[in-house]
Amino acid sequence: MALGKKGENRFGAIGDSLFESRFDPKQKGQFAAKLAEADAKDQPKTYPIPVRFFTQLDPKAQNALHKVTQTCFSVAEKAGISLKHLSPEVEFYGPYEWEHKTGESAFSMELPAAKLDRSGKTPLIQLILPDQIKNSEAVIKAVRLLASKLFGHLYFEENVAGRPPFSLMQEELSELSFDFREKLLYVRFLDPPSPALQQSFDKEALAQGIRGPKAREMGKREWFKALLESPETRPNQAHLIEDLFAQSLKELKANPDPYLEALVSKIDQHLPKGGLILPHEKKHFEFFKKAKQWNLFHALEDRLQLVVGFWGEVTECFVWLDQVAAQEETFDPELARAWRKTLKERSAQLRKRGLVKLFLMEGAQLNERQQGDKNRFPLWVWKQGLLDHLPAGSDPAKWIKRYQDQYGHSLYAKLFELSFRLVEAIEGMEAQGPGRPLKEASRLKALRTSVSLLSEGLEDLLNTTRIAFSLASVAKPKKHHKKEILKNYAEGWAYFVSFALIHQFYWTQPQGDEKALQFLNLIGDYTQAKVEQEPSYQIAGLLLEVYKKKGFTLTPVVELLTKDSKMLDFFAIHQTELLAKKNEQPGEIIQNFGGLVEKWQADRFKNAINRAQPDGFEVRG
């Protein structure tokens, strides 16, 4: 955020006069007096980051700045807002010192003002203060500006800017670029009705000596396999793939909605029946399909990346165990510990995201709490609305049993059990030596085979969804591109978090409830007045709405930015389309979307499975 000049529509431009009109003079005097008091019993405190003063401050003003800053830093730390990699420094200037340093007149700004300098290796936050700090509002504004830069922009830079979907988003005017392997796999998935392609499959079958009714299908497999391994030896065939991919992009540009529908339908057909989309998630999947939202592909890609990555590590672990068992490799205790840690972390991801229900997994030995969860599963099914639209004459009990089987035998359940049993096998080797045969070898083999049969299709789906999400910029070019989206997102977060920290500060003061309410009303009114025009205030307004619905608890909103980020990212990327409804005002849309976000986050918390492992699995096979 640039230095605020007079008249700018920025939160930083809220001047003392606006605060003067909203706070009772007696309360302001009491507040200033309280800030100036030094608690003799407290140990001297220091700023947790390097701070340099290039201006002489009145001792009372400096104490007030110190006190408000320390309170906000403490609130931020408790809410989980901290920088892990960036190490900023802070400098305080008076107007004359600033002009002497930069040649820029500070008197043309509304002070206090702030600047974030990223020209060096170390982020530098520069605060320009008035020549004299005469009231408490100037103190509050200075600390809020510091929080905006530190816990707003820098925290956003460290936690949001580099993650998907933003890392995958195309820059403005940049051309899409895919390597040959990506194009080949995408064309293979689309399987376009190309006579030239069909002829190539037939020729490959003849060359391989393949005959019979499935000759073309087998020729297709061999043709793609050979081209994937060495495209340079088949230039004409590689050129055919390039042409077919270019033709697909041309169709997309000409008719984006039919293209999207056909692509989603094809992906839907290829989703594993073992359950990549769980029963309670299907309503969200259907919503994205009906709304023609390309963000669907990012959601699928995220899930597929989790599964494919997990399976890749399980496969590597199997290879290692096989080599140790065959005495082709010496048993390494350090490597064994590393594998146990990796597999447990992967399993924890599945549990944390609510993708496995341990109490429904076949053969799991349950403790008392998990048995209670299993007994309450029919109630959970009913609460999720999974019985609301059953075919006429259906028996709910049979559907509950069907849902139980779908969760208990899902792809995630198989990966979880595989991981659990592999950890047991490694622990057995550690205890009794590598010569010991694998425990439950037949069950491990069955699980391994079951997931292995799906692995190639899952990798194809991952590649397809990754490309499809990138194609959204071709289908629906946005008025706002990556740089602008991130700028608005960062400013919206910075506005919100700086005000939330000050709001929390007011709560710690005498008559805190009343002061906090006054401050909240002020910010709410100001934000509401700006949401019509400015995207950054729309982000801030949404965060403020969720903050209210969470009972003014800051931690869930922080997690919405960093952990449970999908809904907020979706809003930031698609806010132009979301707020374009003619029959609703932007403020109403933001309020409604805030309710959806709060409910979605609450549902995720309810659906998340506790971290307790099962006591074990029954011996099978």
Side-chain angles (χ1 to χ4, degrees):
M1 184 168 61
L3 288 173
K5 296 182 180 180
K6 289 184 178 179
E8 275 192 329
N9 289 328
R10 289 281 186 270
F11 277 133
I14 299 178
D16 293 338
S17 59
L18 185 56
F19 280 96
E20 293 281 353
S21 66
R22 297 300 294 259
F23 290 92
D24 183 85
K26 291 182 180 179
Q27 289 186 0
K28 288 192 299 178
Q30 293 170 357
F31 175 57
K34 291 288 183 182
L35 286 179
E37 290 178 3
D39 189 349
K41 296 181 181 179
D42 281 351
Q43 294 292 324
K45 297 179 180 178
T46 58
Y47 289 98
I49 53 178
V51 175
R52 292 183 289 274
F53 284 90
F54 294 95
T55 182
Q56 292 294 324
L57 290 178
D58 177 86
K60 288 186 177 181
Q62 187 158 344
N63 285 338
L65 274 171
H66 195 188
K67 182 174 182 178
V68 180
T69 301
Q70 290 295 337
T71 301
C72 289
F73 273 49
S74 176
V75 171
E77 184 178 10
K78 289 176 182 176
I81 310 175
S82 61
L83 297 176
K84 295 182 174 62
H85 306 295
L86 298 172
S87 301
E89 298 179 358
V90 177
E91 294 178 346
F92 285 87
Y93 292 88
Y96 299 103
E97 291 82 4
W98 178 255
E99 186 169 355
H100 178 73
K101 176 182 173 65
T102 65
E104 181 182 4
S105 174
F107 294 100
S108 63
M109 309 172 191
E110 185 167 348
L111 302 180
K115 180 180 180 181
L116 176 59
D117 185 353
R118 297 295 275 112
S119 59
K121 292 183 179 180
T122 300
L124 178 61
I125 300 170
Q126 297 167 312
L127 285 163
I128 304 97
L129 304 176
D131 191 32
Q132 290 184 326
I133 296 180
K134 298 179 179 179
N135 53 49
S136 55
E137 282 74 40
V139 172
I140 292 295
K141 184 179 177 184
V143 176
R144 183 175 53 72
L145 289 171
L146 173 61
S148 171
K149 302 303 181 187
L150 185 63
F151 302 124
H153 288 276
L154 289 179
Y155 186 75
F156 182 93
E157 178 184 329
E158 192 172 87
N159 289 276
V160 179
R163 73 174 180 226
F166 305 106
S167 62
L168 301 173
M169 192 181 294
Q170 296 296 311
E171 295 285 0
E172 185 173 3
L173 302 179
S174 66
E175 293 185 3
L176 290 174
S177 177
F178 303 105
D179 61 31
F180 180 76
R181 183 178 184 278
E182 290 174 315
K183 294 176 183 178
L184 175 68
L185 294 178
Y186 190 68
V187 170
R188 183 174 76 177
F189 182 82
L190 292 180
D191 194 19
S194 163
L197 204 55
Q198 304 299 325
Q199 290 173 13
S200 297
F201 300 157
D202 293 340
K203 288 180 181 178
E204 188 69 29
L206 285 172
Q208 299 287 341
I210 302 172
R211 301 287 188 274
K214 294 188 177 181
R216 175 174 288 181
E217 188 62 31
M218 295 174 70
K220 173 184 175 181
R221 176 179 287 274
E222 293 299 320
W223 188 84
F224 276 112
K225 180 181 177 183
L227 192 54
L228 192 60
E229 290 175 353
S230 53
E232 67 281 354
T233 64
R234 299 185 172 209
N236 292 336
Q237 296 172 1
H239 185 68
L240 175 59
I241 292 295
E242 296 283 359
D243 286 346
L244 290 170
F245 187 82
Q247 179 62 34
S248 181
L249 291 189
K250 190 179 293 185
E251 292 172 6
L252 167 62
K253 291 177 182 178
N255 297 292
D257 285 347
Y259 187 98
L260 171 65
E261 290 174 9
L263 184 56
V264 171
S265 176
K266 197 166 189 67
I267 287 175
D268 201 3
Q269 293 168 20
H270 284 77
L271 287 175
K273 297 297 185 283
L276 189 75
I277 307 297
L278 295 171
H280 70 277
E281 298 174 317
K282 286 183 179 178
K283 57 188 175 184
H284 304 300
F285 183 69
E286 293 300 323
F287 167 78
F288 278 124
K289 283 167 61 177
K290 290 178 182 177
K292 296 182 173 61
Q293 293 290 351
W294 287 76
N295 209 51
L296 164 69
F297 298 116
H298 171 59
L300 285 173
E301 181 202 349
D302 174 71
R303 189 65 62 83
L304 285 160
Q305 184 63 63
L306 173 69
V307 170
V308 170
F310 197 154
W311 173 243
E313 287 178 338
V314 165
T315 302
E316 286 184 36
C317 186
F318 266 119
V319 170
W320 174 69
L321 286 172
D322 289 342
Q323 289 173 340
V324 171
Q327 297 184 340
E328 296 173 3
E329 186 173 326
T330 305
F331 180 78
D332 183 349
E334 288 296 325
L335 189 55
R337 279 193 287 274
W339 272 120
R340 279 196 289 107
K341 181 182 178 184
T342 297
L343 293 171
K344 286 181 178 180
E345 286 175 349
R346 284 289 191 175
S347 297
Q349 275 187 293
L350 297 181
R351 296 198 308 275
K352 186 177 180 182
R353 295 176 65 165
L355 298 175
V356 288
K357 296 188 181 296
L358 303 180
F359 53 86
L360 297 180
M361 292 173 63
E362 187 177 352
Q365 298 171 357
L366 307 180
N367 57 35
E368 185 176 346
R369 178 177 177 179
Q370 291 163 342
Q371 187 60 52
D373 289 337
K374 185 174 183 177
N375 295 338
R376 289 187 293 273
F377 180 68
L379 178 61
W380 182 87
V381 168
W382 175 73
K383 285 184 175 180
Q384 291 295 316
L386 296 177
L387 302 177
D388 291 350
H389 304 289
L390 299 183
S394 297
D395 181 358
K398 289 183 178 179
W399 276 90
I400 289 173
K401 179 63 169 64
R402 181 180 296 183
Y403 290 135
Q404 182 173 328
D405 290 342
Q406 288 176 0
Y407 283 105
H409 297 94
S410 72
L411 181 58
Y412 310 109
K414 291 174 183 176
L415 286 170
F416 184 89
E417 186 180 347
L418 261 173
S419 176
F420 187 93
R421 292 187 183 277
L422 282 173
V423 169
E424 279 192 326
I426 294 169
E427 289 173 344
M429 283 187 170
E430 289 175 316
Q432 301 179 26
R436 176 180 180 267
L438 287 181
K439 183 181 178 182
E440 304 287 345
S442 59
R443 177 59 180 165
L444 275 170
K445 183 178 179 181
L447 287 167
R448 182 180 183 180
T449 301
S450 176
V451 180
S452 179
L453 292 172
L454 299 172
S455 61
E456 183 178 317
L458 291 170
E459 289 177 10
D460 275 2
L461 279 169
L462 175 59
N463 180 77
T464 300
T465 53
R466 185 174 289 159
I467 290 178
F469 180 68
S470 298
L471 294 180
S473 61
V474 176
K476 295 185 176 181
K478 294 183 177 298
K479 295 178 181 178
H480 302 292
H481 292 269
K482 177 179 178 178
K483 187 175 181 180
E484 189 172 358
I485 288 171
L486 283 172
K487 175 178 175 288
N488 292 331
Y489 199 173
E491 286 193 353
W493 165 254
Y495 295 156
F496 163 75
V497 75
S498 63
F499 284 111
L501 290 173
I502 296 298
H503 180 244
Q504 297 279 323
F505 165 76
Y506 277 121
W507 263 353
T508 68
Q509 304 306 300
Q511 298 180 321
D513 289 350
E514 184 179 350
K515 293 175 182 177
L517 180 60
Q518 287 178 320
F519 184 75
L520 187 69
N521 288 338
L522 168 66
I523 299 311
D525 292 345
Y526 191 81
T527 306
Q528 187 66 31
K530 297 295 180 184
V531 296
E532 296 283 342
Q533 304 293 333
E534 300 189 34
S536 54
Y537 284 88
Q538 293 161 4
I539 297 285
L542 175 61
L543 291 166
L544 191 60
E545 189 66 34
V546 177
Y547 179 60
K548 292 177 182 177
K549 292 182 182 297
K550 292 293 184 182
F552 306 112
T553 305
L554 188 54
T555 303
V557 190
V558 176
E559 291 179 347
L560 195 64
L561 183 84
T562 56
K563 296 178 182 178
D564 296 333
S565 58
K566 283 187 174 55
M567 287 286 276
L568 192 57
D569 289 352
F570 177 79
F571 183 86
I573 293 169
H574 298 284
Q575 65 188 108
T576 302
E577 297 98 308
L578 290 170
L579 297 171
K581 297 180 181 179
K582 295 181 180 179
N583 58 339
E584 288 186 70
Q585 295 297 317
E588 294 178 75
I589 296 171
I590 288 171
Q591 187 175 18
N592 293 336
F593 197 88
L596 289 174
V597 171
E598 194 277 333
K599 184 178 184 303
W600 174 79
Q601 194 177 34
D603 286 345
R604 277 180 61 83
F605 179 78
K606 290 177 184 176
N607 292 334
I609 305 303
N610 68 70
R611 292 175 176 268
Q613 289 272 27
D615 293 338
F617 285 91
E618 294 175 358
V619 177
R620 300 170 63 190

